Structures are given as structure tokens and as C-alpha cells.
Amino acid sequence: QHWICSLWGRRGPAGAHTLSAAPAAPGEAASTIQHTPLMPAGLGREGVDLRQQIDDGASCVGLSGLGLDDEALQLLLAGLGDHASTILELDLQDNQLRLLDPSSVFKCQKLETLNLDHNVLADEGAGGLACVLGENGTLKSLSIAHNDIGDDGLGLLGEALAKNAGLHRLNLRHNDFTTTGGRLLVGAMLVNPRLALRSIDLSDNALDDETMRAIARLISTNHVVEELDLSATIMTDRGAGFI
């Protein structure tokens, strides 16, 4: 059976688990919800206006711009059950996620693309991601732009990238790290002979000429990198000359 389920009104955080399960009559196999618009559904402690749909069986799930916090996200993903293993792309940009415990996200065991732009990860959230990223070989694209990640958080991400061999694209645009964090990141990547990064976006961060020198070393020793965005940094002509 295939159900279409539309709900209007206010829902508390406990409703996330319930709403994500398809209805089934006693003695019958669980149905599959093909289309579930929840408009609007208050979700999470502060109430979230869930305006997008979750299509059961879809490989791409978009939950951007909903104001989700960590608790609400955990409930939603837990409610997906086995369906989580089919998700290849997860768009969580423009929410209120700190992601102190990213294990709920990585229950999507086949996840290849994760967009966390415009959240509130900061150093703590970056550290949480780093704990998983070092051993994860499935994720291909990670975007964490506009998250106030500082030097400490970038250093932790660097430690993870020193071991990671699966990530192809990393977007760190417009965060809060300086040349100190930039050198930590690049230095860690330099020691990883299996580094697979093809696209790196470090734009709109306070990276100076010495960071550019380190990046030049990375490029010369790693021939996988194809795209590198260093726009809106603080490098001078001298730094550009290294690149």
C-alpha cells in the first residue's frame, strides 16, 4: 500500500518519530509513505515550521531552512528507521544545528553528500564531525560554510583528514579561522598519502601568505586537487605567487 499523508498544525518533538512511520492496520505489513508534506509542523523545543517533504524511499532528503535543532534532527532521523540506509544526500543547511553528536546523521550509512551550511557548529560541532570523519569512507562531499568554525575546530578537522581517504569535496567558506587553523589543516592533509580531496573551498577566511605557501606544497605533492577557492582571503601578491 502507498499512502499520502498531509498534516497541518503544531507538533511537539515527540511527534517526529510517530509521523515518520507509515500507518498499518493490525496484522498487515507496514505501508510505505511515498509523500509526506508536513505544513506547518511545530517540531523541536522552540517549534519548527517543517515546510518540505520527506519522500520515503528517496535517496536525497532536503531539510533546509527549518530551524531544526539537534534534538529535532535526532528524532526525525530515528523515525526513518531502515529508510535511513537509503539516503545518499542530506541537505541540512540553514538550521540551528550544533551537531555535538553526529552519530544520528551517520546512521545514514550510505551517505555521500552532507550540506551543513549556515548552522551553528562552531569548534564543538566541528570536533564532533571530526570524530566520525576520520574513519568514514563513504562521505564524498561535506559543506560546512558559515558555521563560525575557529582554529581549534579546524585543527580537529585536519586530524580527521590526515586519516580520511574518501572525501572528494570540502567547503569551509566563511568561517572564523585564521592562518593558524589554515596551517593546521593543510599540514595534516600533507601527511595523508591517500587524501582524495578534489575540491577545497577556503574562501572568505583570514588566510595569509604563509598559509598560501603551505597550500602550494599540498598542491605540488597531491595531484588529485582540481578546484581550489582562495578568494576573499588576506593573501597579498606574494602569497598568490606561491600558488
Side-chain angles (χ1 to χ4, degrees):
Q1 296 177 351
H2 300 282
W3 293 74
I4 296 178
C5 181
S6 300
L7 299 101
W8 292 74
R10 307 295 292 177
R11 305 286 180 266
H17 184 280
T18 304
L19 295 178
S20 62
E28 295 183 2
S31 302
T32 300
I33 294 181
Q34 291 293 91
H35 183 61
T36 312
L38 311 177
M39 307 178 297
L43 185 64
R45 289 188 300 271
E46 298 179 3
V48 177
D49 195 14
L50 186 53
R51 297 182 296 269
Q52 296 188 0
Q53 64 187 37
I54 300 175
D55 291 331
D56 195 29
S59 61
C60 301
V61 174
L63 295 169
S64 63
L66 305 177
L68 293 171
D69 61 9
D70 286 24
E71 179 188 5
L73 178 64
Q74 289 172 2
L75 288 167
L76 275 172
L77 294 179
L80 293 178
D82 291 341
H83 167 51
S85 65
T86 70
I87 297 174
L88 302 179
E89 181 175 340
L90 188 56
D91 185 357
L92 294 170
Q93 64 179 314
D94 197 18
N95 282 294
Q96 294 297 315
L97 298 172
R98 298 181 66 198
L99 218 62
L100 300 181
D101 179 10
S103 60
S104 59
V105 170
F106 287 95
K107 286 180 181 177
C108 307
Q109 298 175 357
K110 298 180 181 178
L111 189 65
E112 295 181 354
T113 301
L114 178 59
N115 188 339
L116 287 162
D117 292 350
H118 293 276
N119 276 281
V120 289
L121 300 184
D123 288 344
E124 292 83 0
L129 276 175
C131 290
V132 178
L133 195 59
E135 305 300 328
N136 182 282
T138 305
L139 193 68
K140 305 300 182 188
S141 176
L142 175 63
S143 191
I144 45 178
H146 294 264
N147 267 289
D148 295 322
I149 298 171
D151 292 335
D152 290 342
L154 202 64
L156 294 171
L157 286 171
E159 293 176 8
L161 289 173
K163 299 178 286 184
N164 182 280
L167 198 66
H168 290 172
R169 178 180 179 272
L170 177 63
N171 181 6
L172 284 160
R173 176 180 175 82
H174 194 91
N175 274 286
D176 198 31
F177 54 84
T178 67
T179 188
T180 300
R183 291 182 199 175
L184 288 172
L185 178 72
V186 176
M189 291 192 291
L190 277 168
V191 303
N192 183 357
R194 301 185 301 149
L195 187 70
L197 276 175
R198 299 173 184 170
S199 174
I200 308 172
D201 189 342
L202 297 173
S203 62
D204 205 8
N205 287 291
L207 303 179
D208 65 5
D209 292 347
E210 291 307 310
T211 309
M212 300 306 145
R213 187 198 294 270
I215 291 172
R217 285 184 58 207
L218 176 65
I219 296 172
S220 65
T221 57
N222 185 312
H223 302 293
V224 178
V225 178
E226 299 173 351
E227 298 180 6
L228 181 62
D229 192 340
L230 298 170
S231 59
T233 60
I234 59 172
M235 68 172 164
T236 66
D237 290 344
R238 175 172 171 268
F242 294 137
I243 302 298

